[in-house]
Amino acid sequence: ENAADLLRAAGHDVRMHVGAGAASAPAAVLGPIVRESVTNVLKHGDGARARIELTNDGDAWVYRMVNDAADTRVRTGTDATIAWGSGLTGMGERLEANGGEVEAWNDGTSFTVQVRLPISAGNAAAPLGEHA
């Protein structure tokens, strides 16, 4: 909710989908990921819309942030090239240390950051619901 509130305050139309059990997602790992993805939207998006999702697919937490793509993207064919700056690199390092992974892509109209984190990675971390 805090992430959505920040984006709304900046003028974004925000949609959220939080799946069942999301309150038990590990805040120690996912909290910084959520903060970095919000920062990316504020710094690099066009400022109109964003979608935030957190679901459990059975063996992993899946977090996704989708926002309108900025016009400064570089295109290669029909896909846009993603420049992995320090934010995405930091996400990848944090997730890799916990058995997870991050992907990012730009389809020309929207930019997506998708994170997968094994459910088992959160066993020792405080649940997301305890930090809300």
Side-chain angles (χ1 to χ4, degrees):
E1 286 298 323
N2 289 340
D5 289 345
L6 284 170
L7 292 171
R8 286 183 184 117
H12 289 74
D13 175 21
V14 180
R15 306 286 185 232
M16 282 187 56
H17 172 70
V18 178
S24 64
V29 179
L30 291 176
I33 303 297
V34 172
R35 283 190 296 275
E36 181 59 35
S37 67
V38 168
T39 299
N40 285 347
V41 171
L42 293 173
K43 288 173 74 173
H44 306 297
D46 277 347
R49 62 187 194 286
R51 186 174 73 241
I52 303 168
E53 302 172 4
L54 177 61
T55 58
N56 174 330
D57 79 352
D59 66 343
W61 293 107
V62 178
Y63 169 75
R64 186 176 299 125
M65 172 71 81
V66 182
N67 64 284
D68 47 337
D71 290 334
T72 57
R73 59 194 172 263
V74 177
R75 294 178 186 247
T76 304
T78 59
D79 296 324
T81 302
I82 302 300
W84 281 72
S86 60
L88 288 173
T89 299
M91 280 187 200
E93 290 168 356
R94 174 177 283 277
L95 288 161
E96 187 175 301
N98 288 280
E101 62 186 13
V102 62
E103 295 178 272
W105 63 90
N106 184 335
D107 67 8
T109 60
S110 63
F111 180 77
T112 302
V113 173
Q114 179 173 287
V115 166
R116 292 187 60 83
L117 180 68
I119 296 293
S120 60
N123 291 340
L128 201 55
E130 291 181 14
H131 295 277

